[in-house]
Amino acid sequence: MLGDDKNENGIDLASIDPRQCALLVIDALGDPQGGPLEGLLLEPTLNCGRLAAAARAAGIPVVLANDAHIKGLDRELLLWGEHGLAGTPEAQASPQVGQQPSDHVVEKRRYSAFFQTGLRLLLDELGARTLICCGFDTNICVRHTVADAYFNNLDTIVVTDATATFLVGDQASGLDYMKVCYGSALVGTDEAIAVMEGQLR
């Protein structure tokens, strides 16, 4: 019966070719330092920065998927209030990420970084087959982006200590959902860097 033997194997990290990877930093926006969620978001944001630095050093593309909402128009604002408005500091990459001119920025107006954006075309042109995903919120924008990656036949790695949830659900359940439903590999920052550096091959 369906569900009796659910597949929790995910992808084989040793088989991943770093030349076919891209790092996708999802909504790591604004500066968590000094903010009300500093205790929850600062460490994973710093880990996003570590991942981005390692990706650049390894020649792996860094893609920043940033909210760029239109005030008074986007549906998402009705649910969550004003946030990530296009052109504001809150819609820019966190300083801890250390954005570089070589990074690719994809502006999004919905949860998924794929929906009505040029992300899929960009990944095709970059030759990316595996996305290493980090950022926020685990149960909303990360999850919906990982879902669309799966629907587009891309493999995903979700970096557990470079993500966090603070709006709905809990971190452990959100990560497990992506592992079970989308075959995502769940790894820590150090292991993700090892993948990008080709140390696990």
Side-chain angles (χ1 to χ4, degrees):
M1 179 176 176
L2 181 64
D4 286 348
D5 296 305
K6 64 181 180 181
N7 179 13
E8 296 186 5
N9 294 324
I11 59 177
D12 178 14
L13 297 179
S15 70
I16 294 174
D17 184 348
R19 295 169 298 182
Q20 295 181 326
C21 289
L23 176 70
L24 185 58
V25 185
I26 303 162
D27 287 339
L29 305 173
D31 191 346
Q33 285 191 298
L37 295 174
E38 177 179 353
L40 177 66
L41 296 186
L42 181 56
E43 182 177 354
T45 303
L46 288 169
N47 284 334
C48 288
R50 288 183 58 208
L51 291 163
R56 297 181 194 111
I60 291 172
V62 175
V63 181
L64 309 176
N66 298 346
D67 274 351
H69 295 301
I70 298 176
K71 184 180 177 69
L73 184 61
D74 284 8
R75 280 189 81 179
E76 192 174 312
L77 303 180
L78 297 175
L79 291 173
W80 303 107
E82 289 190 359
H83 67 282
L85 297 178
T88 66
E90 292 74 25
Q92 309 306 311
S94 301
Q96 292 81 6
V97 174
Q99 181 176 347
Q100 299 297 311
S102 60
D103 297 344
H104 304 274
V105 178
V106 173
E107 294 186 341
K108 65 186 186 69
R109 293 174 52 201
R110 295 293 190 268
Y111 302 146
S112 172
F114 285 90
F115 185 77
Q116 299 293 314
T117 73
L119 178 58
R120 180 57 205 252
L121 176 61
L122 173 64
L123 295 174
D124 284 346
E125 292 175 332
L126 293 171
R129 298 298 311 151
T130 299
L131 299 185
I132 301 169
C133 302
C134 59
F136 312 106
D137 180 295
T138 303
N139 288 307
I140 304 178
C141 293
V142 174
R143 175 167 158 176
H144 285 275
T145 297
V146 168
D148 275 348
Y150 175 77
F151 301 150
N152 279 280
N153 295 319
L154 297 167
D155 290 328
T156 52
I157 296 171
V158 179
V159 188
T160 59
D161 58 356
T163 55
T165 190
F166 53 94
L167 290 169
V168 64
D170 64 88
Q171 177 78 349
S173 296
L175 293 170
D176 188 60
Y177 187 96
M178 289 183 281
K179 175 183 177 182
V180 173
C181 293
Y182 308 128
S184 300
L186 305 180
V187 305
T189 294
D190 289 340
E191 192 170 10
I193 291 174
V195 170
M196 291 191 287
E197 292 177 344
Q199 296 179 18
L200 301 184
R201 300 192 76 194

mmCIF file with all atom_site columns, all heavy atoms in Angstrom, residues 125-150:
data_model
loop_
_atom_site.group_PDB
_atom_site.id
_atom_site.type_symbol
_atom_site.label_atom_id
_atom_site.label_alt_id
_atom_site.label_comp_id
_atom_site.label_asym_id
_atom_site.label_entity_id
_atom_site.label_seq_id
_atom_site.pdbx_PDB_ins_code
_atom_site.Cartn_x
_atom_site.Cartn_y
_atom_site.Cartn_z
_atom_site.occupancy
_atom_site.B_iso_or_equiv
_atom_site.pdbx_formal_charge
_atom_site.auth_seq_id
_atom_site.auth_comp_id
_atom_site.auth_asym_id
_atom_site.auth_atom_id
_atom_site.pdbx_PDB_model_num
ATOM 1   N N   . GLU A 1 125 ? 20.938 27.963 -18.008 1.00 0.00 ? 125 GLU A N   1
ATOM 2   C CA  . GLU A 1 125 ? 22.101 28.589 -18.632 1.00 0.00 ? 125 GLU A CA  1
ATOM 3   C C   . GLU A 1 125 ? 23.369 28.373 -17.811 1.00 0.00 ? 125 GLU A C   1
ATOM 4   O O   . GLU A 1 125 ? 24.477 28.328 -18.360 1.00 0.00 ? 125 GLU A O   1
ATOM 5   C CB  . GLU A 1 125 ? 21.836 30.076 -18.844 1.00 0.00 ? 125 GLU A CB  1
ATOM 6   C CG  . GLU A 1 125 ? 20.755 30.331 -19.895 1.00 0.00 ? 125 GLU A CG  1
ATOM 7   C CD  . GLU A 1 125 ? 20.383 31.787 -20.038 1.00 0.00 ? 125 GLU A CD  1
ATOM 8   O OE1 . GLU A 1 125 ? 20.506 32.549 -19.053 1.00 0.00 ? 125 GLU A OE1 1
ATOM 9   O OE2 . GLU A 1 125 ? 19.956 32.163 -21.135 1.00 0.00 ? 125 GLU A OE2 1
ATOM 10  N N   . LEU A 1 126 ? 23.212 28.234 -16.498 1.00 0.00 ? 126 LEU A N   1
ATOM 11  C CA  . LEU A 1 126 ? 24.356 27.971 -15.633 1.00 0.00 ? 126 LEU A CA  1
ATOM 12  C C   . LEU A 1 126 ? 24.737 26.492 -15.618 1.00 0.00 ? 126 LEU A C   1
ATOM 13  O O   . LEU A 1 126 ? 25.781 26.130 -15.066 1.00 0.00 ? 126 LEU A O   1
ATOM 14  C CB  . LEU A 1 126 ? 24.047 28.429 -14.199 1.00 0.00 ? 126 LEU A CB  1
ATOM 15  C CG  . LEU A 1 126 ? 23.887 29.936 -13.984 1.00 0.00 ? 126 LEU A CG  1
ATOM 16  C CD1 . LEU A 1 126 ? 23.377 30.210 -12.571 1.00 0.00 ? 126 LEU A CD1 1
ATOM 17  C CD2 . LEU A 1 126 ? 25.204 30.663 -14.227 1.00 0.00 ? 126 LEU A CD2 1
ATOM 18  N N   . GLY A 1 127 ? 23.880 25.647 -16.170 1.00 0.00 ? 127 GLY A N   1
ATOM 19  C CA  . GLY A 1 127 ? 24.141 24.204 -16.171 1.00 0.00 ? 127 GLY A CA  1
ATOM 20  C C   . GLY A 1 127 ? 23.930 23.559 -14.816 1.00 0.00 ? 127 GLY A C   1
ATOM 21  O O   . GLY A 1 127 ? 24.520 22.514 -14.523 1.00 0.00 ? 127 GLY A O   1
ATOM 22  N N   . ALA A 1 128 ? 23.079 24.150 -13.997 1.00 0.00 ? 128 ALA A N   1
ATOM 23  C CA  . ALA A 1 128 ? 22.856 23.644 -12.637 1.00 0.00 ? 128 ALA A CA  1
ATOM 24  C C   . ALA A 1 128 ? 21.817 22.533 -12.633 1.00 0.00 ? 128 ALA A C   1
ATOM 25  O O   . ALA A 1 128 ? 20.736 22.675 -13.201 1.00 0.00 ? 128 ALA A O   1
ATOM 26  C CB  . ALA A 1 128 ? 22.401 24.775 -11.718 1.00 0.00 ? 128 ALA A CB  1
ATOM 27  N N   . ARG A 1 129 ? 22.159 21.425 -11.983 1.00 0.00 ? 129 ARG A N   1
ATOM 28  C CA  . ARG A 1 129 ? 21.243 20.307 -11.807 1.00 0.00 ? 129 ARG A CA  1
ATOM 29  C C   . ARG A 1 129 ? 20.918 20.059 -10.336 1.00 0.00 ? 129 ARG A C   1
ATOM 30  O O   . ARG A 1 129 ? 19.947 19.380 -10.016 1.00 0.00 ? 129 ARG A O   1
ATOM 31  C CB  . ARG A 1 129 ? 21.852 19.027 -12.401 1.00 0.00 ? 129 ARG A CB  1
ATOM 32  C CG  . ARG A 1 129 ? 22.117 19.084 -13.888 1.00 0.00 ? 129 ARG A CG  1
ATOM 33  C CD  . ARG A 1 129 ? 20.851 19.283 -14.692 1.00 0.00 ? 129 ARG A CD  1
ATOM 34  N NE  . ARG A 1 129 ? 19.798 18.354 -14.276 1.00 0.00 ? 129 ARG A NE  1
ATOM 35  C CZ  . ARG A 1 129 ? 18.491 18.604 -14.369 1.00 0.00 ? 129 ARG A CZ  1
ATOM 36  N NH1 . ARG A 1 129 ? 18.089 19.756 -14.849 1.00 0.00 ? 129 ARG A NH1 1
ATOM 37  N NH2 . ARG A 1 129 ? 17.614 17.705 -13.997 1.00 0.00 ? 129 ARG A NH2 1
ATOM 38  N N   . THR A 1 130 ? 21.756 20.592 -9.453  1.00 0.00 ? 130 THR A N   1
ATOM 39  C CA  . THR A 1 130 ? 21.548 20.425 -8.019  1.00 0.00 ? 130 THR A CA  1
ATOM 40  C C   . THR A 1 130 ? 21.555 21.798 -7.360  1.00 0.00 ? 130 THR A C   1
ATOM 41  O O   . THR A 1 130 ? 22.483 22.590 -7.566  1.00 0.00 ? 130 THR A O   1
ATOM 42  C CB  . THR A 1 130 ? 22.656 19.561 -7.383  1.00 0.00 ? 130 THR A CB  1
ATOM 43  O OG1 . THR A 1 130 ? 22.644 18.263 -7.985  1.00 0.00 ? 130 THR A OG1 1
ATOM 44  C CG2 . THR A 1 130 ? 22.445 19.417 -5.885  1.00 0.00 ? 130 THR A CG2 1
ATOM 45  N N   . LEU A 1 131 ? 20.522 22.079 -6.574  1.00 0.00 ? 131 LEU A N   1
ATOM 46  C CA  . LEU A 1 131 ? 20.432 23.338 -5.845  1.00 0.00 ? 131 LEU A CA  1
ATOM 47  C C   . LEU A 1 131 ? 20.758 23.101 -4.383  1.00 0.00 ? 131 LEU A C   1
ATOM 48  O O   . LEU A 1 131 ? 20.174 22.221 -3.744  1.00 0.00 ? 131 LEU A O   1
ATOM 49  C CB  . LEU A 1 131 ? 19.031 23.931 -5.963  1.00 0.00 ? 131 LEU A CB  1
ATOM 50  C CG  . LEU A 1 131 ? 18.529 24.293 -7.358  1.00 0.00 ? 131 LEU A CG  1
ATOM 51  C CD1 . LEU A 1 131 ? 17.178 24.971 -7.255  1.00 0.00 ? 131 LEU A CD1 1
ATOM 52  C CD2 . LEU A 1 131 ? 19.530 25.171 -8.077  1.00 0.00 ? 131 LEU A CD2 1
ATOM 53  N N   . ILE A 1 132 ? 21.687 23.870 -3.858  1.00 0.00 ? 132 ILE A N   1
ATOM 54  C CA  . ILE A 1 132 ? 21.985 23.877 -2.435  1.00 0.00 ? 132 ILE A CA  1
ATOM 55  C C   . ILE A 1 132 ? 21.231 25.065 -1.856  1.00 0.00 ? 132 ILE A C   1
ATOM 56  O O   . ILE A 1 132 ? 21.527 26.216 -2.179  1.00 0.00 ? 132 ILE A O   1
ATOM 57  C CB  . ILE A 1 132 ? 23.498 23.980 -2.196  1.00 0.00 ? 132 ILE A CB  1
ATOM 58  C CG1 . ILE A 1 132 ? 24.213 22.807 -2.869  1.00 0.00 ? 132 ILE A CG1 1
ATOM 59  C CG2 . ILE A 1 132 ? 23.807 24.026 -0.702  1.00 0.00 ? 132 ILE A CG2 1
ATOM 60  C CD1 . ILE A 1 132 ? 25.713 22.950 -2.928  1.00 0.00 ? 132 ILE A CD1 1
ATOM 61  N N   . CYS A 1 133 ? 20.221 24.777 -1.043  1.00 0.00 ? 133 CYS A N   1
ATOM 62  C CA  . CYS A 1 133 ? 19.261 25.791 -0.620  1.00 0.00 ? 133 CYS A CA  1
ATOM 63  C C   . CYS A 1 133 ? 19.455 26.193 0.835   1.00 0.00 ? 133 CYS A C   1
ATOM 64  O O   . CYS A 1 133 ? 19.614 25.334 1.713   1.00 0.00 ? 133 CYS A O   1
ATOM 65  C CB  . CYS A 1 133 ? 17.831 25.286 -0.810  1.00 0.00 ? 133 CYS A CB  1
ATOM 66  S SG  . CYS A 1 133 ? 17.437 24.805 -2.503  1.00 0.00 ? 133 CYS A SG  1
ATOM 67  N N   . CYS A 1 134 ? 19.409 27.488 1.079   1.00 0.00 ? 134 CYS A N   1
ATOM 68  C CA  . CYS A 1 134 ? 19.455 28.006 2.440   1.00 0.00 ? 134 CYS A CA  1
ATOM 69  C C   . CYS A 1 134 ? 18.584 29.252 2.505   1.00 0.00 ? 134 CYS A C   1
ATOM 70  O O   . CYS A 1 134 ? 18.161 29.774 1.466   1.00 0.00 ? 134 CYS A O   1
ATOM 71  C CB  . CYS A 1 134 ? 20.903 28.316 2.849   1.00 0.00 ? 134 CYS A CB  1
ATOM 72  S SG  . CYS A 1 134 ? 21.743 29.525 1.800   1.00 0.00 ? 134 CYS A SG  1
ATOM 73  N N   . GLY A 1 135 ? 18.306 29.720 3.708   1.00 0.00 ? 135 GLY A N   1
ATOM 74  C CA  . GLY A 1 135 ? 17.513 30.929 3.864   1.00 0.00 ? 135 GLY A CA  1
ATOM 75  C C   . GLY A 1 135 ? 16.241 30.705 4.654   1.00 0.00 ? 135 GLY A C   1
ATOM 76  O O   . GLY A 1 135 ? 16.138 29.781 5.455   1.00 0.00 ? 135 GLY A O   1
ATOM 77  N N   . PHE A 1 136 ? 15.249 31.536 4.393   1.00 0.00 ? 136 PHE A N   1
ATOM 78  C CA  . PHE A 1 136 ? 14.080 31.618 5.271   1.00 0.00 ? 136 PHE A CA  1
ATOM 79  C C   . PHE A 1 136 ? 12.785 31.772 4.464   1.00 0.00 ? 136 PHE A C   1
ATOM 80  O O   . PHE A 1 136 ? 12.827 32.179 3.321   1.00 0.00 ? 136 PHE A O   1
ATOM 81  C CB  . PHE A 1 136 ? 14.241 32.815 6.204   1.00 0.00 ? 136 PHE A CB  1
ATOM 82  C CG  . PHE A 1 136 ? 15.601 32.866 6.845   1.00 0.00 ? 136 PHE A CG  1
ATOM 83  C CD1 . PHE A 1 136 ? 16.538 33.793 6.416   1.00 0.00 ? 136 PHE A CD1 1
ATOM 84  C CD2 . PHE A 1 136 ? 15.958 31.950 7.818   1.00 0.00 ? 136 PHE A CD2 1
ATOM 85  C CE1 . PHE A 1 136 ? 17.801 33.821 6.989   1.00 0.00 ? 136 PHE A CE1 1
ATOM 86  C CE2 . PHE A 1 136 ? 17.215 31.972 8.394   1.00 0.00 ? 136 PHE A CE2 1
ATOM 87  C CZ  . PHE A 1 136 ? 18.140 32.918 7.980   1.00 0.00 ? 136 PHE A CZ  1
ATOM 88  N N   . ASP A 1 137 ? 11.702 31.528 5.002   1.00 0.00 ? 137 ASP A N   1
ATOM 89  C CA  . ASP A 1 137 ? 11.362 30.722 6.154   1.00 0.00 ? 137 ASP A CA  1
ATOM 90  C C   . ASP A 1 137 ? 11.304 29.267 5.694   1.00 0.00 ? 137 ASP A C   1
ATOM 91  O O   . ASP A 1 137 ? 10.787 28.977 4.625   1.00 0.00 ? 137 ASP A O   1
ATOM 92  C CB  . ASP A 1 137 ? 10.005 31.204 6.698   1.00 0.00 ? 137 ASP A CB  1
ATOM 93  C CG  . ASP A 1 137 ? 9.514  30.456 7.906   1.00 0.00 ? 137 ASP A CG  1
ATOM 94  O OD1 . ASP A 1 137 ? 9.229  29.258 7.784   1.00 0.00 ? 137 ASP A OD1 1
ATOM 95  O OD2 . ASP A 1 137 ? 9.401  31.065 8.981   1.00 0.00 ? 137 ASP A OD2 1
ATOM 96  N N   . THR A 1 138 ? 11.813 28.355 6.497   1.00 0.00 ? 138 THR A N   1
ATOM 97  C CA  . THR A 1 138 ? 11.882 26.946 6.113   1.00 0.00 ? 138 THR A CA  1
ATOM 98  C C   . THR A 1 138 ? 10.556 26.429 5.577   1.00 0.00 ? 138 THR A C   1
ATOM 99  O O   . THR A 1 138 ? 10.507 25.732 4.564   1.00 0.00 ? 138 THR A O   1
ATOM 100 C CB  . THR A 1 138 ? 12.311 26.087 7.319   1.00 0.00 ? 138 THR A CB  1
ATOM 101 O OG1 . THR A 1 138 ? 13.572 26.563 7.796   1.00 0.00 ? 138 THR A OG1 1
ATOM 102 C CG2 . THR A 1 138 ? 12.433 24.617 6.938   1.00 0.00 ? 138 THR A CG2 1
ATOM 103 N N   . ASN A 1 139 ? 9.466  26.756 6.256   1.00 0.00 ? 139 ASN A N   1
ATOM 104 C CA  . ASN A 1 139 ? 8.163  26.182 5.930   1.00 0.00 ? 139 ASN A CA  1
ATOM 105 C C   . ASN A 1 139 ? 7.380  26.966 4.888   1.00 0.00 ? 139 ASN A C   1
ATOM 106 O O   . ASN A 1 139 ? 6.271  26.558 4.528   1.00 0.00 ? 139 ASN A O   1
ATOM 107 C CB  . ASN A 1 139 ? 7.321  26.053 7.206   1.00 0.00 ? 139 ASN A CB  1
ATOM 108 C CG  . ASN A 1 139 ? 7.828  24.954 8.102   1.00 0.00 ? 139 ASN A CG  1
ATOM 109 O OD1 . ASN A 1 139 ? 8.003  23.821 7.671   1.00 0.00 ? 139 ASN A OD1 1
ATOM 110 N ND2 . ASN A 1 139 ? 8.103  25.286 9.350   1.00 0.00 ? 139 ASN A ND2 1
ATOM 111 N N   . ILE A 1 140 ? 7.929  28.063 4.422   1.00 0.00 ? 140 ILE A N   1
ATOM 112 C CA  . ILE A 1 140 ? 7.189  28.858 3.439   1.00 0.00 ? 140 ILE A CA  1
ATOM 113 C C   . ILE A 1 140 ? 8.026  28.995 2.163   1.00 0.00 ? 140 ILE A C   1
ATOM 114 O O   . ILE A 1 140 ? 7.925  28.181 1.253   1.00 0.00 ? 140 ILE A O   1
ATOM 115 C CB  . ILE A 1 140 ? 6.763  30.226 4.017   1.00 0.00 ? 140 ILE A CB  1
ATOM 116 C CG1 . ILE A 1 140 ? 5.946  30.020 5.313   1.00 0.00 ? 140 ILE A CG1 1
ATOM 117 C CG2 . ILE A 1 140 ? 5.926  31.001 3.006   1.00 0.00 ? 140 ILE A CG2 1
ATOM 118 C CD1 . ILE A 1 140 ? 5.512  31.300 5.992   1.00 0.00 ? 140 ILE A CD1 1
ATOM 119 N N   . CYS A 1 141 ? 8.889  29.995 2.092   1.00 0.00 ? 141 CYS A N   1
ATOM 120 C CA  . CYS A 1 141 ? 9.588  30.260 0.833   1.00 0.00 ? 141 CYS A CA  1
ATOM 121 C C   . CYS A 1 141 ? 10.601 29.174 0.479   1.00 0.00 ? 141 CYS A C   1
ATOM 122 O O   . CYS A 1 141 ? 10.749 28.827 -0.688  1.00 0.00 ? 141 CYS A O   1
ATOM 123 C CB  . CYS A 1 141 ? 10.245 31.633 0.886   1.00 0.00 ? 141 CYS A CB  1
ATOM 124 S SG  . CYS A 1 141 ? 9.021  32.969 0.951   1.00 0.00 ? 141 CYS A SG  1
ATOM 125 N N   . VAL A 1 142 ? 11.300 28.627 1.487   1.00 0.00 ? 142 VAL A N   1
ATOM 126 C CA  . VAL A 1 142 ? 12.235 27.548 1.185   1.00 0.00 ? 142 VAL A CA  1
ATOM 127 C C   . VAL A 1 142 ? 11.458 26.328 0.693   1.00 0.00 ? 142 VAL A C   1
ATOM 128 O O   . VAL A 1 142 ? 11.787 25.737 -0.346  1.00 0.00 ? 142 VAL A O   1
ATOM 129 C CB  . VAL A 1 142 ? 13.100 27.199 2.412   1.00 0.00 ? 142 VAL A CB  1
ATOM 130 C CG1 . VAL A 1 142 ? 13.977 25.982 2.127   1.00 0.00 ? 142 VAL A CG1 1
ATOM 131 C CG2 . VAL A 1 142 ? 13.964 28.397 2.815   1.00 0.00 ? 142 VAL A CG2 1
ATOM 132 N N   . ARG A 1 143 ? 10.429 25.954 1.418   1.00 0.00 ? 143 ARG A N   1
ATOM 133 C CA  . ARG A 1 143 ? 9.659  24.758 1.054   1.00 0.00 ? 143 ARG A CA  1
ATOM 134 C C   . ARG A 1 143 ? 9.014  24.879 -0.324  1.00 0.00 ? 143 ARG A C   1
ATOM 135 O O   . ARG A 1 143 ? 9.068  23.933 -1.130  1.00 0.00 ? 143 ARG A O   1
ATOM 136 C CB  . ARG A 1 143 ? 8.588  24.496 2.110   1.00 0.00 ? 143 ARG A CB  1
ATOM 137 C CG  . ARG A 1 143 ? 7.650  23.362 1.777   1.00 0.00 ? 143 ARG A CG  1
ATOM 138 C CD  . ARG A 1 143 ? 6.848  22.972 2.990   1.00 0.00 ? 143 ARG A CD  1
ATOM 139 N NE  . ARG A 1 143 ? 5.627  22.274 2.652   1.00 0.00 ? 143 ARG A NE  1
ATOM 140 C CZ  . ARG A 1 143 ? 4.794  21.762 3.548   1.00 0.00 ? 143 ARG A CZ  1
ATOM 141 N NH1 . ARG A 1 143 ? 5.052  21.876 4.834   1.00 0.00 ? 143 ARG A NH1 1
ATOM 142 N NH2 . ARG A 1 143 ? 3.691  21.149 3.176   1.00 0.00 ? 143 ARG A NH2 1
ATOM 143 N N   . HIS A 1 144 ? 8.423  26.014 -0.630  1.00 0.00 ? 144 HIS A N   1
ATOM 144 C CA  . HIS A 1 144 ? 7.767  26.162 -1.931  1.00 0.00 ? 144 HIS A CA  1
ATOM 145 C C   . HIS A 1 144 ? 8.785  26.206 -3.063  1.00 0.00 ? 144 HIS A C   1
ATOM 146 O O   . HIS A 1 144 ? 8.527  25.698 -4.165  1.00 0.00 ? 144 HIS A O   1
ATOM 147 C CB  . HIS A 1 144 ? 6.881  27.406 -1.931  1.00 0.00 ? 144 HIS A CB  1
ATOM 148 C CG  . HIS A 1 144 ? 5.608  27.225 -1.173  1.00 0.00 ? 144 HIS A CG  1
ATOM 149 N ND1 . HIS A 1 144 ? 4.480  26.679 -1.735  1.00 0.00 ? 144 HIS A ND1 1
ATOM 150 C CD2 . HIS A 1 144 ? 5.288  27.487 0.126   1.00 0.00 ? 144 HIS A CD2 1
ATOM 151 C CE1 . HIS A 1 144 ? 3.514  26.619 -0.827  1.00 0.00 ? 144 HIS A CE1 1
ATOM 152 N NE2 . HIS A 1 144 ? 3.982  27.100 0.305   1.00 0.00 ? 144 HIS A NE2 1
ATOM 153 N N   . THR A 1 145 ? 9.940  26.788 -2.809  1.00 0.00 ? 145 THR A N   1
ATOM 154 C CA  . THR A 1 145 ? 10.990 26.800 -3.821  1.00 0.00 ? 145 THR A CA  1
ATOM 155 C C   . THR A 1 145 ? 11.528 25.394 -4.057  1.00 0.00 ? 145 THR A C   1
ATOM 156 O O   . THR A 1 145 ? 11.734 24.979 -5.210  1.00 0.00 ? 145 THR A O   1
ATOM 157 C CB  . THR A 1 145 ? 12.129 27.747 -3.387  1.00 0.00 ? 145 THR A CB  1
ATOM 158 O OG1 . THR A 1 145 ? 11.616 29.083 -3.293  1.00 0.00 ? 145 THR A OG1 1
ATOM 159 C CG2 . THR A 1 145 ? 13.276 27.710 -4.384  1.00 0.00 ? 145 THR A CG2 1
ATOM 160 N N   . VAL A 1 146 ? 11.741 24.642 -2.984  1.00 0.00 ? 146 VAL A N   1
ATOM 161 C CA  . VAL A 1 146 ? 12.215 23.261 -3.118  1.00 0.00 ? 146 VAL A CA  1
ATOM 162 C C   . VAL A 1 146 ? 11.178 22.411 -3.847  1.00 0.00 ? 146 VAL A C   1
ATOM 163 O O   . VAL A 1 146 ? 11.527 21.551 -4.670  1.00 0.00 ? 146 VAL A O   1
ATOM 164 C CB  . VAL A 1 146 ? 12.556 22.678 -1.736  1.00 0.00 ? 146 VAL A CB  1
ATOM 165 C CG1 . VAL A 1 146 ? 12.771 21.169 -1.800  1.00 0.00 ? 146 VAL A CG1 1
ATOM 166 C CG2 . VAL A 1 146 ? 13.811 23.353 -1.180  1.00 0.00 ? 146 VAL A CG2 1
ATOM 167 N N   . ALA A 1 147 ? 9.907  22.654 -3.573  1.00 0.00 ? 147 ALA A N   1
ATOM 168 C CA  . ALA A 1 147 ? 8.856  21.924 -4.284  1.00 0.00 ? 147 ALA A CA  1
ATOM 169 C C   . ALA A 1 147 ? 8.942  22.178 -5.785  1.00 0.00 ? 147 ALA A C   1
ATOM 170 O O   . ALA A 1 147 ? 8.913  21.240 -6.591  1.00 0.00 ? 147 ALA A O   1
ATOM 171 C CB  . ALA A 1 147 ? 7.480  22.338 -3.764  1.00 0.00 ? 147 ALA A CB  1
ATOM 172 N N   . ASP A 1 148 ? 9.083  23.437 -6.180  1.00 0.00 ? 148 ASP A N   1
ATOM 173 C CA  . ASP A 1 148 ? 9.167  23.752 -7.605  1.00 0.00 ? 148 ASP A CA  1
ATOM 174 C C   . ASP A 1 148 ? 10.452 23.210 -8.220  1.00 0.00 ? 148 ASP A C   1
ATOM 175 O O   . ASP A 1 148 ? 10.461 22.834 -9.399  1.00 0.00 ? 148 ASP A O   1
ATOM 176 C CB  . ASP A 1 148 ? 9.067  25.263 -7.817  1.00 0.00 ? 148 ASP A CB  1
ATOM 177 C CG  . ASP A 1 148 ? 7.618  25.735 -7.888  1.00 0.00 ? 148 ASP A CG  1
ATOM 178 O OD1 . ASP A 1 148 ? 6.719  24.875 -8.000  1.00 0.00 ? 148 ASP A OD1 1
ATOM 179 O OD2 . ASP A 1 148 ? 7.386  26.957 -7.837  1.00 0.00 ? 148 ASP A OD2 1
ATOM 180 N N   . ALA A 1 149 ? 11.521 23.172 -7.449  1.00 0.00 ? 149 ALA A N   1
ATOM 181 C CA  . ALA A 1 149 ? 12.750 22.549 -7.958  1.00 0.00 ? 149 ALA A CA  1
ATOM 182 C C   . ALA A 1 149 ? 12.494 21.080 -8.278  1.00 0.00 ? 149 ALA A C   1
ATOM 183 O O   . ALA A 1 149 ? 12.905 20.574 -9.324  1.00 0.00 ? 149 ALA A O   1
ATOM 184 C CB  . ALA A 1 149 ? 13.872 22.694 -6.935  1.00 0.00 ? 149 ALA A CB  1
ATOM 185 N N   . TYR A 1 150 ? 11.799 20.392 -7.374  1.00 0.00 ? 150 TYR A N   1
ATOM 186 C CA  . TYR A 1 150 ? 11.458 18.982 -7.594  1.00 0.00 ? 150 TYR A CA  1
ATOM 187 C C   . TYR A 1 150 ? 10.580 18.827 -8.834  1.00 0.00 ? 150 TYR A C   1
ATOM 188 O O   . TYR A 1 150 ? 10.806 17.943 -9.669  1.00 0.00 ? 150 TYR A O   1
ATOM 189 C CB  . TYR A 1 150 ? 10.750 18.441 -6.356  1.00 0.00 ? 150 TYR A CB  1
ATOM 190 C CG  . TYR A 1 150 ? 10.242 17.036 -6.510  1.00 0.00 ? 150 TYR A CG  1
ATOM 191 C CD1 . TYR A 1 150 ? 11.106 15.944 -6.438  1.00 0.00 ? 150 TYR A CD1 1
ATOM 192 C CD2 . TYR A 1 150 ? 8.885  16.789 -6.715  1.00 0.00 ? 150 TYR A CD2 1
ATOM 193 C CE1 . TYR A 1 150 ? 10.637 14.653 -6.573  1.00 0.00 ? 150 TYR A CE1 1
ATOM 194 C CE2 . TYR A 1 150 ? 8.404  15.506 -6.856  1.00 0.00 ? 150 TYR A CE2 1
ATOM 195 C CZ  . TYR A 1 150 ? 9.278  14.431 -6.785  1.00 0.00 ? 150 TYR A CZ  1
ATOM 196 O OH  . TYR A 1 150 ? 8.809  13.160 -6.930  1.00 0.00 ? 150 TYR A OH  1
#
